[in-house]
């Protein structure tokens, strides 16, 4: 049973790396109604801004 799981894992990894070479077309990537992922996933620049705003407390 462990051999079967290992074979499935190796095949999955090979399939994953094979599919990485394909890129989405311009029609898919440059569309007007793209989802705004920044609402759901914070990006590094926004995290730095949030951290700098939280650090504005005066020292006593």
């Amino acid at each position: 049973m462990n051999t079967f799981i290992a074979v499935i894992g190796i095949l999955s990894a090979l399939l994953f790396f094979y599919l990485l070479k394909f890129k989405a077309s311009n029609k898919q990537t440059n569309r007007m109604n793209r989802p705004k992922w920044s609402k759901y996933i914070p990006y590094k620049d926004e995290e730095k801004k949030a951290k700098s705003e939280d650090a504005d407390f005066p020292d006593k």
Side-chain angles (χ1 to χ4, degrees):
M1 185 67 176
N2 288 338
T3 307
F4 177 73
I5 294 172
V7 169
I8 294 295
I10 292 170
L11 289 176
S12 299
L14 292 174
L15 180 65
F16 175 75
F17 287 113
Y18 173 75
L19 293 175
L20 280 177
K21 70 179 182 179
F22 297 106
K23 185 182 181 305
S25 68
N26 284 335
K27 184 178 178 183
Q28 291 173 317
T29 56
N30 297 328
R31 59 187 182 140
M32 296 301 294
N33 62 346
R34 291 178 65 182
K36 297 187 188 314
W37 292 108
S38 61
K39 283 195 249 179
Y40 308 107
I41 303 171
Y43 293 101
K44 291 181 181 179
D45 293 337
E46 293 176 9
E47 289 176 6
K48 289 178 183 176
K49 289 178 187 175
K51 287 180 182 178
S52 65
E53 290 174 6
D54 291 341
D56 289 338
F57 296 108
D59 293 331
K60 290 185 179 182

